[in-house]
Amino acid sequence: MHWSYGFSRIAILCTAGLSILVATGILFSITPAREKFLNILTSNIAVQPVIIASPASFMQVHSTDSTSSSQADSTSSPQAGSGQGSISQSSSSNQVARILGDSSYQPADSKITFVTTPPASSTVLFMTPPVVSSETKKQFARILISQVLLEDEQSTRHEFVELYNPNEYAVDLSGWELRKKTETGTDSVLVSSKKFAGIIARNGYFLISNPEYSQTIGADEVWSSDGYGVSKNNTVYMVNPDGGIADLVGFGEAQNYESASAQNPDKGIALSRVSSKDTNMNQNDFVCAIPVPRNTKSTIGFRTLEIVACANQGQNIAVSPAPSPIASPELSPSPLPSPTLEPSPSVEPSPMLSPTPSLIPTPSPSPTSSPQPTQKLLISEVQITGGAGETNNDFIELYNPNDGTVNLKGYRLVKRTKTGASDYAIKSWTTDTFIYVYGTYVWANNDFVEKTADARTSTTLANDNAIALRYGSADTGQIIDSVGWGEHTGVFCETQCFAQNPVANEVLTRKNMQDTYNNALDFEIR
């Protein structure tokens, strides 16, 4: 046998062996000797190794078919978390690369940190997954946790998590995962990625509950086991098939939350999202409310809440309660004085009237059509600079707080300088352009290519400016919403301008979509 022939057979066998090792999920670590050997082998196959995990993590590759179902279940069981995060990444070849360890987030500062760039010291190799199409990525846009019930007066098993789809397209939830984390750091699954299935309609709901409670409320999905549950001081979060955290809410003394934890709801009270606008601050986004679970058969569109007070026991950060409506005092009507009657004058006989010639009525002029009543839209975010060399990194976000779609035709976005007395055009809409219910619309400067925008023009924003959304003509059209900042003092200031000029990459942001008609109170810097 010739040496060249023998070496070729060995190379083929080794290459096949490497593929089997990877496909069957055998764990391995990379030593210098093995790394050299792998480099030799991978130079003969069309696979580009990439580095993804830190030394504190390890990688497990497994198939999702029946031959490895027990292994897949073990990675998503409540015991598998042990206080560690998890990320999964799926591909069209029906393989999943799951990294277990601390690489999904770092809980040291009690906040979720999304990891986007691997550390330079990483040492674990795996095969690059197939490129995911843009249409597939679109499915993982935004799914929000909209309501959580921990228990009611009848049972601690009467618990559910409600999801809301704020997008204008339906989303397939197959392969998603619902998880929780306790206040002590134990991370576990509620609904595993193998079990999760269903379609959530655009602006619609999806209801998940304890199996014992599912028939009562018409849940669309149930916990993977009736022994699972959610309690006070927990974190509940959704993980999409790419391993990204789609949404997260921590309440009470939870270790993980978005910016600030929400309240611990009382027995029989739900923790409810106030709006489909996610501010990434659980404290602002959630309130205590009467539970109204909604499923895939419910009417689309964000609900109206019946907000109630919570006891706030075990609360990390105090939440200012929603202001109660001030009741108008009931007024006792004052008795009116009895009128003094004058004697009725005697009636003279009516004179006889000559017949009046018939008049030909003059036609009334046709009424001039007036514009349809305008709908309220809010300026929700403003950025005026990206810093030195990027002063044109400007954008404005509009938000639709209405229960229906708004047509922007006839509206215009304008600005005024510190001393300006007339409008300067930013963008006007002369054709049908829609902002869907609870949706946003973004304008950006032409040079700000990094910002995803619905419209672009060359207008720039600067210190001490103010902007307004008008309906009708420039300078005279109805002001729908406006905000000024810095030392601006013009008519676009609502009661009082926001006193601070945003600096590089700071965004002037409306607080929780509130509108008290006072810029100083309604906005903050983020």
Side-chain angles (χ1 to χ4, degrees):
M1 179 174 62
H2 294 288
W3 283 106
S4 58
Y5 175 74
F7 183 81
S8 299
R9 293 187 64 184
I10 292 171
I12 292 170
L13 290 173
C14 290
T15 303
L18 174 63
S19 301
I20 292 170
L21 285 173
V22 174
T24 56
I26 296 176
L27 296 175
F28 61 93
S29 60
I30 306 303
T31 64
R34 290 176 180 170
E35 183 175 359
K36 181 177 180 180
F37 180 63
L38 287 174
N39 289 337
I40 294 172
L41 292 181
T42 54
S43 64
N44 294 303
I45 56 177
V47 176
Q48 176 62 43
V50 296
I51 299 173
I52 59 164
S54 67
S57 304
F58 63 88
M59 186 197 73
Q60 187 175 12
V61 181
H62 62 84
S63 171
T64 57
D65 59 20
S66 59
T67 62
S68 61
S69 60
S70 60
Q71 186 178 12
D73 290 339
S74 67
T75 61
S76 60
S77 66
Q79 292 78 14
S82 301
Q84 298 169 332
S86 67
I87 297 179
S88 64
Q89 187 165 7
S90 58
S91 70
S92 59
S93 64
N94 205 31
Q95 284 192 337
V96 177
R98 180 178 295 274
I99 308 165
L100 302 175
D102 61 352
S103 57
S104 62
Y105 56 82
Q106 303 294 333
D109 60 352
S110 298
K111 297 179 182 178
I112 292 295
T113 302
F114 295 90
V115 176
T116 57
T117 305
S121 60
S122 302
T123 58
V124 178
L125 302 174
F126 85 125
M127 290 193 298
T128 306
V131 176
V132 181
S133 68
S134 58
E135 184 62 27
T136 301
K137 289 181 179 178
K138 182 179 179 181
Q139 296 178 6
F140 308 148
R142 289 189 305 160
I143 295 296
L144 301 178
I145 296 170
S146 52
Q147 194 174 185
V148 179
L149 179 69
L150 307 183
E151 60 178 326
D152 65 12
E153 300 295 339
Q154 284 72 46
S155 173
T156 57
R157 293 179 180 271
H158 288 184
E159 54 189 350
F160 67 77
V161 173
E162 178 195 88
L163 307 178
Y164 179 72
N165 177 10
N167 305 291
E168 288 303 315
Y169 50 85
V171 175
D172 185 356
L173 293 174
S174 300
W176 290 61
E177 193 167 76
L178 181 66
R179 300 186 69 87
K180 77 158 188 180
K181 190 172 183 180
T182 68
E183 61 184 304
T184 60
T186 301
D187 190 292
S188 60
V189 70
L190 290 171
V191 184
S192 68
S193 58
K194 291 186 65 177
K195 179 178 173 56
F196 217 127
I199 304 293
I200 181 169
R202 66 176 185 87
N203 307 134
Y205 295 88
F206 192 93
L207 190 61
I208 314 161
S209 78
N210 187 294
E212 185 177 305
Y213 200 36
S214 62
Q215 295 299 321
T216 304
I217 58 175
D220 302 299
E221 185 60 273
V222 296
W223 303 160
S224 292
S225 169
D226 57 8
Y228 298 170
V230 185
S231 305
K232 289 185 177 183
N233 307 316
N234 280 189
T235 299
V236 177
Y237 64 103
M238 279 287 293
V239 180
N240 67 36
D242 272 349
I245 296 178
D247 194 27
L248 174 150
V249 55
F251 34 94
E253 297 178 358
Q255 285 195 9
N256 302 103
Y257 44 81
E258 291 180 350
S259 300
S261 64
Q263 303 175 72
N264 264 326
D266 301 325
K267 183 182 294 186
I269 300 299
L271 194 61
S272 300
R273 184 178 287 275
V274 298
S275 165
S276 64
K277 177 71 174 180
D278 187 10
T279 70
N280 293 317
M281 178 177 283
N282 295 157
Q283 183 189 49
N284 289 344
D285 287 339
F286 287 86
V287 295
C288 290
I290 301 299
V292 183
R294 298 193 179 187
N295 58 23
T296 52
K297 296 180 181 179
S298 300
T299 304
I300 65 171
F302 209 77
R303 75 170 67 77
T304 300
L305 301 177
E306 185 178 346
I307 300 175
V308 297
C310 270
N312 295 326
Q313 294 176 351
Q315 181 67 23
N316 246 3
I317 302 172
V319 177
S320 300
S324 303
I326 300 174
S328 301
E330 296 183 4
L331 301 178
S332 302
S334 302
L336 297 176
S338 301
T340 302
L341 300 178
E342 298 290 337
S344 301
S346 57
V347 178
E348 298 291 335
S350 301
M352 297 295 295
L353 299 177
S354 301
T356 304
S358 300
L359 298 178
I360 300 174
T362 304
S364 302
S366 300
T368 304
S369 59
S370 56
Q372 295 296 316
T374 55
Q375 292 175 283
K376 181 66 176 178
L377 293 171
L378 297 176
I379 297 170
S380 51
E381 291 185 351
V382 182
Q383 178 172 300
I384 67 173
T385 180
E390 298 179 333
T391 56
N392 289 355
N393 282 9
D394 306 334
F395 78 85
I396 300 169
E397 179 189 84
L398 304 178
Y399 174 70
N400 175 12
N402 304 283
D403 291 331
T405 299
V406 175
N407 191 346
L408 284 171
K409 183 178 180 180
Y411 289 78
R412 66 179 63 241
L413 194 58
V414 297
K415 81 162 188 177
R416 290 193 178 186
T417 61
K418 179 180 178 180
T419 58
S422 58
D423 293 352
Y424 190 91
I426 298 176
K427 168 67 181 175
S428 61
W429 293 270
T430 57
T431 59
D432 289 338
T433 306
F434 299 98
I435 304 185
Y436 295 101
V437 54
Y438 309 122
T440 58
Y441 187 98
V442 176
W443 166 88
N445 182 275
N446 288 333
D447 295 336
F448 196 6
V449 295
E450 297 83 6
K451 180 69 176 178
T452 301
D454 299 289
R456 296 181 184 275
T457 63
S458 59
T459 308
T460 59
L461 305 176
N463 286 348
D464 308 319
N465 280 185
I467 59 174
L469 181 67
R470 285 191 186 273
Y471 185 85
S473 303
D475 297 322
T476 59
Q478 177 188 355
I479 296 176
I480 305 301
D481 193 30
S482 62
V483 57
W485 54 88
E487 297 181 2
H488 191 90
T489 57
V491 295
F492 288 172
C493 289
E494 289 187 347
T495 307
Q496 185 179 6
C497 274
F498 188 80
Q500 185 178 342
N501 279 314
V503 298
N505 298 311
E506 288 187 340
V507 179
L508 188 61
T509 305
R510 185 177 291 276
K511 298 177 184 177
N512 202 29
M513 294 302 127
Q514 71 182 28
D515 189 17
T516 66
Y517 296 93
N518 187 329
N519 295 159
L521 299 179
D522 290 339
F523 285 84
E524 62 185 351
I525 293 290
R526 291 187 183 173

